[in-house]
Amino acid sequence: DQQVKQNSPSLSVQEGRISILNCDYTNSMFDYFLWYKKYPAEGPTFLISISSIKDKNEDGRFTVFLNKSAKHLSLHIVPSQPGDSAVYFCAASADGAGSYQLTFGKGTKLSVIP
Amino acid sequence: SQTIHQWPATLVQPVGSPLSLECTVEGTSNPNLYWYRQAAGRGLQLLFYSVGIGQISSEVPQNLSASRPQDRQFILSSKKLLLSDSGFYLCACQAMNTEAFFGQGTRLTVV
């Protein structure tokens, strides 16, 4: 049973446009959500996070939106750049920011076309 | 800041051979340490986590084991590799109330 789902395995976006990556979860106990970015043959790097007490968190070109009632979160990248091309993993935990129990989605491969 | 050293970067091993992947951490004390595996089409799967020396928790039954002989050292092992053990193995570190920080990974191919 997959508790964190990223239903789009891939996404292609033109440079300069908005990229929207989606993530759904089933466990209502999740209270902290993270996005990681991963280049081939490298470890994932932390991108942005959001606590369940918020519905939006912004960091530069990256914004994460959380809709708790729908158990849905999304990552917006505006404007998209070719260097954003990577696999993006959504992760969730039920124990806050310091939790060691991160559940990851399968990832979405973003391709930003110049 | 935290630094994770994970080696080797790539490894090709025959079926039935042993495995030892090592991960060491700098820049933090008493971190939580993790081993993840990324297999084709399966995202990131947590294999083991450790909250202290000698303390190992396993998330999934498998052909692998882990050990933490020192505070900042985490080792992933197998006595006999299977073809299904192929994948990209990632060590991660997490200090108190911070996000997990990943190493560069080891690409393991079992042939």
Side-chain angles (χ1 to χ4, degrees), chain A residues 32 34 36 38 40-46 49 87 89 97-102 104-107, chain B residues 32 34 36 38 41-44 46 49 51 59 88 90 94 97-105:
Chain A
Y32 193 72
L34 310 90
Y36 281 84
K38 185 182 178 301
E42 293 185 11
T45 55
F46 169 72
S49 63
V87 176
F89 288 99
S99 173
Y100 48 73
Q101 294 279 18
L102 285 180
F104 283 87
K106 291 186 177 182
Chain B
N32 293 337
Y34 313 82
Y36 284 87
Q38 182 187 14
R42 300 190 66 179
L44 289 173
L46 178 62
Y49 66 88
V51 299
E59 286 296 297
F88 191 55
L90 291 154
Q94 186 176 31
N97 290 325
T98 66
E99 289 75 28
F101 181 73
F102 286 82
Q104 291 297 293

Side-chain angles (χ1 to χ4, degrees), chain A residues 67-92:
Chain A
N67 183 334
K68 284 180 290 184
S69 60
K71 293 191 176 67
H72 176 84
L73 65 155
S74 60
L75 175 68
H76 293 212
I77 306 173
V78 182
S80 300
Q81 299 173 356
D84 295 329
S85 297
V87 176
Y88 289 79
F89 288 99
C90 171

Side-chain angles (χ1 to χ4, degrees), chain A residues 43, chain B residues 1-10 20-28 31-35 67 70-76 88-94 101-107:
Chain B
S1 63
Q2 301 167 66
T3 304
I4 298 180
H5 300 281
Q6 190 179 339
W7 66 92
T10 59
S20 181
L21 300 180
E22 188 162 345
C23 170
T24 59
V25 179
E26 294 178 0
T28 185
N32 293 337
L33 296 174
Y34 313 82
W35 279 109
S67 63
Q70 300 179 43
D71 180 47
R72 286 173 281 184
Q73 184 185 27
F74 205 23
I75 299 171
L76 182 70
F88 191 55
Y89 288 82
L90 291 154
C91 177
C93 164
Q94 186 176 31
F101 181 73
F102 286 82
Q104 291 297 293
T106 296
R107 171 71 60 191

